[in-house]
Amino acid sequence: MNVALHSVAITGAYNTEQARDLGRSTRDVLNEAALGAIADAGLTPADIDAVVATPSAQLVFDLGLGTTRTMSSGPDIEGILEAAGLLLTGEATAVLLAAAKASSFDRSSVAPWVRPANEFVVSHGLITPAEFAFMARRHMIEHGTTAEQMATVAAQIRNNGHANPEAIYHGKGPFTVDDILASPMVADPFHLLECATTSQGGCAVVMTLADRSADAANAPIWLLGGGSDRIGPSYQTSPSWDRVGFHGDDTVAGYIGRRAAQRAFGQAGINPADVDVCEFYDPFSFEIIRQFEAFGFCGDGEGGEFVMDGRIALSGEFPITTDGGLMSYSHAGSFPQQLQRVIRGVDQLRGTCAANQVDGAEIAIASNGGSGALYTEVLLMGSAPAT
Amino acid sequence: MLHPNVTGIPVPRPTGESAPYWEGCREGELRFRRCASCDLSVFEPRPICPRCHGTDLPWAVSTGDGVVYSWSVVWRPQMPAFDVPYAPAIVRLDDGFDMVTAIVGCEPDEIHDGQRVSVEFHDVDDAITLPFFSLS
């Protein structure tokens, strides 16, 4: 298949240390992440001619990059797809995506970025766990999805983090399904151990076209396909499972990301069965079940059963979120943990994971967002270019 | 018993677009906009109908009756000012729109899918009144 995206590679990837409290400034962590990814790509700062970061202008200024193309999207999968566009139109030859957050906050409340400020939700005590709970509840009602099925997802992801020396919750397990269900309820049906943690850290990625990838210190990881779906603003309107638009496709909000996944698999010329590693975004346990359905790994309503038979284990057919994800590896604000899904996919395909390496992984899927936020982004990557 | 959280909570900041809605709450009316061209009910106030793209969206008053579409019971509050548990919910109004609110006046385990609920209003301060829903 002749898809322009197939000539784009991720050639650099870097995570800073992640911690509950790094004792550093966000700016300092962002700069480390950026320089780390540039070095990992075998490039120098002089090679970077486009930047998407949090915030882009400050990073260009701090690193003294001179005149640089910046992007208004964020350093996530959507940013990666738009960065590919810059490379393919010739507007840039090496794009840096970087994200970091290291600001502390009062822990008597939930993290500031999970408190929606909108006038129609703020006064009813909405928090992102409740917004996502609305979606999970509908799935439980319509398909009989159980607390045990959701807890099975959380136990797997947290055990992945338990085994990962780079995860902030390394060594805190192992966790059984009963442990998950015995943890305090945050927003029914989500217990504490089914929710993302909050932490600090940074990360960055460098992308180039195929003809520049020979500079990289590590083998390039190739873009096979991607897509990004949004149906409305996050945390401002009711996240109703059956919300649809009036023009265009009829995908319900509960299956946001389906169109993106179909586009990604179509570009890649592969099927979900071909995927070796699922670096799914895991803000809450249910979202993994939902993504298996939305992305076509199983039928609608079958996700709860799908995760129950060892399929999502590291040795299973579809290992999920192998670094421990947002629940256990790190969740530092709005963007780092989104880009980190991609970086974990890169590490798996390079075969360089410090722990939980999936033997022989050749194709990885990464995702960002979620139903409660009314958007989902999907990226398929390969250790070899698409054929 | 779930009760309305109205003390010390973050208050909504009405915009020019939403001011008539909040004035309605103050007066004990649940207001929404209804497209004059295609009759679509539009809740969060917007200047355009998402279905027919008409821009004449006069305000209407809801009966305030509907069903529980989805809900959560929150034990880890957004801010300490919220007493727990509280039960944020999506209510599907008979008038044809969904809204985020909270269920009050019952025990958490009394909330079920499709349960009939009705709006009730509680003052937060001198300017803001919030819509909650209780079992019909």
Side-chain angles (χ1 to χ4, degrees):
Chain A
M1 191 180 296
N2 181 17
V3 175
L5 191 68
H6 295 169
S7 61
V8 178
I10 295 173
T11 53
Y14 184 89
N15 280 312
T16 70
E17 179 189 357
Q18 314 290 311
R20 286 282 278 179
D21 186 350
L22 283 170
R24 298 166 62 186
S25 71
T26 295
R27 195 166 182 168
D28 179 40
V29 176
L30 181 70
N31 293 339
E32 180 203 328
L35 291 171
I38 294 168
D40 187 61
L43 300 178
T44 70
D47 296 310
I48 300 298
D49 49 15
V51 167
V52 54
T54 53
S56 298
Q58 174 197 289
L59 186 61
V60 169
F61 179 69
D62 271 9
L63 299 189
L65 297 182
T67 50
T68 302
R69 172 67 150 89
T70 56
M71 290 165 54
S72 55
S73 56
D76 57 6
I77 287 174
E78 192 171 71
I80 281 177
L81 296 174
E82 292 180 19
L86 291 187
L87 295 168
L88 291 168
T89 56
E91 216 186 325
T93 61
V95 186
L96 169 68
L97 299 95
K101 192 161 185 77
S103 54
S104 59
F105 57 87
D106 173 10
R107 290 191 183 274
S108 68
S109 301
V110 294
W113 61 83
V114 305
R115 282 182 244 151
N118 177 268
E119 61 179 313
F120 292 101
V121 299
V122 65
S123 300
H124 287 298
L126 265 291
I127 49 178
T128 50
E131 303 261 7
F132 280 79
F134 290 154
M135 288 290 190
R137 176 84 60 193
R138 281 312 307 177
H139 202 268
M140 295 170 79
I141 291 166
E142 292 177 17
H143 301 295
T145 308
T146 67
E148 288 73 19
Q149 290 166 343
M150 291 187 278
T152 297
V153 168
Q156 181 63 54
I157 293 173
R158 286 187 174 272
N159 284 336
N160 292 349
H162 164 71
N164 179 6
E166 296 170 348
I168 62 166
Y169 287 133
H170 171 238
K172 298 290 187 184
F175 297 93
T176 65
V177 169
D178 286 344
D179 292 333
I180 304 297
L181 294 175
S183 65
M185 192 65 88
V186 171
D188 195 340
F190 297 136
H191 302 79
L192 179 67
L193 294 179
E194 295 179 87
C195 301
T197 185
T198 54
S199 58
Q200 302 181 356
C203 60
V205 156
V206 170
M207 297 166 58
T208 68
L209 291 178
D211 60 353
R212 291 290 300 279
S213 66
D215 298 335
N218 296 288
I221 299 305
W222 301 89
L223 301 194
L224 305 182
S228 179
D229 290 349
R230 182 178 278 287
I231 201 168
S234 302
Y235 316 132
Q236 297 182 25
T237 185
S238 52
S240 301
W241 180 278
D242 59 359
R243 175 185 287 275
V244 291
F246 297 96
H247 312 276
D249 84 349
D250 58 357
T251 303
V252 296
Y255 285 130
I256 191 81
R258 172 163 287 169
R259 191 197 69 113
Q262 288 171 345
R263 179 177 177 79
F265 281 112
Q267 286 178 328
I270 60 173
N271 297 306
D274 298 316
V275 172
D276 299 311
V277 185
C278 297
E279 294 297 345
F280 287 161
Y281 197 71
D282 61 322
F284 303 98
S285 56
F286 168 70
E287 281 298 304
I288 302 297
I289 290 171
R290 186 194 78 81
Q291 288 175 80
F292 276 125
E293 296 180 14
F295 300 163
F297 286 77
C298 63
D300 292 359
E302 296 173 2
E305 287 293 326
F306 195 75
V307 301
M308 288 300 286
D309 57 0
R311 191 176 271 124
I312 61 173
L314 290 167
S315 59
E317 185 181 3
F318 298 115
I320 57 165
T321 317
T322 62
D323 55 1
L326 281 65
M327 292 188 195
S328 183
Y329 172 68
S330 190
H331 177 204
S334 298
F335 284 104
Q337 79 285 354
Q338 300 203 77
L339 193 57
Q340 280 165 339
R341 291 297 88 231
V342 175
I343 292 173
R344 185 61 175 183
V346 168
D347 289 346
Q348 283 286 0
L349 298 176
R350 285 176 170 178
T352 55
C353 295
N356 303 339
Q357 176 66 48
V358 174
D359 290 340
E362 296 178 347
I363 293 174
I365 186 171
S367 60
N368 286 169
S371 59
L374 301 180
Y375 79 97
T376 294
E377 304 164 3
V378 177
L379 186 68
L380 284 166
M381 298 170 278
S383 56
T387 52
Chain B
M1 181 74 80
L2 297 166
H3 71 89
N5 274 303
V6 292
T7 305
I9 64 166
V11 293
R13 291 184 193 152
T15 63
E17 200 80 59
S18 68
Y21 167 79
W22 291 111
E23 288 162 10
C25 289
R26 197 72 194 164
E27 294 166 21
E29 289 184 352
L30 185 64
R31 294 180 185 169
F32 65 106
R33 300 180 84 166
R34 183 175 275 149
C35 177
S37 302
C38 79
D39 219 29
L40 183 74
S41 297
V42 174
F43 178 61
E44 293 94 352
R46 284 174 266 187
I48 189 167
C49 169
R51 184 161 69 186
C52 76
H53 300 163
T55 54
D56 183 11
L57 296 157
W59 289 92
V61 178
S62 170
T63 62
D65 297 321
V67 297
V68 173
Y69 178 72
S70 198
W71 75 99
S72 181
V73 178
V74 173
W75 292 88
R76 170 83 169 139
Q78 178 201 69
M79 302 176 72
F82 286 86
D83 294 335
V84 296
Y86 58 93
I90 298 172
V91 165
R92 180 154 291 178
L93 277 298
D94 296 346
D95 290 302
F97 62 92
D98 288 2
M99 64 179 288
V100 170
T101 180
I103 306 297
V104 297
C106 64
E107 297 298 330
D109 62 6
E110 293 182 79
I111 305 171
H112 299 292
D113 177 37
Q115 184 118 31
R116 296 291 304 171
V117 289
S118 303
V119 72
E120 62 181 57
F121 294 93
H122 295 275
D123 292 345
V124 174
D125 58 25
D126 291 342
I128 292 294
T129 297
L130 287 176
F132 295 85
F133 284 75
S134 57
L135 307 189
S136 299

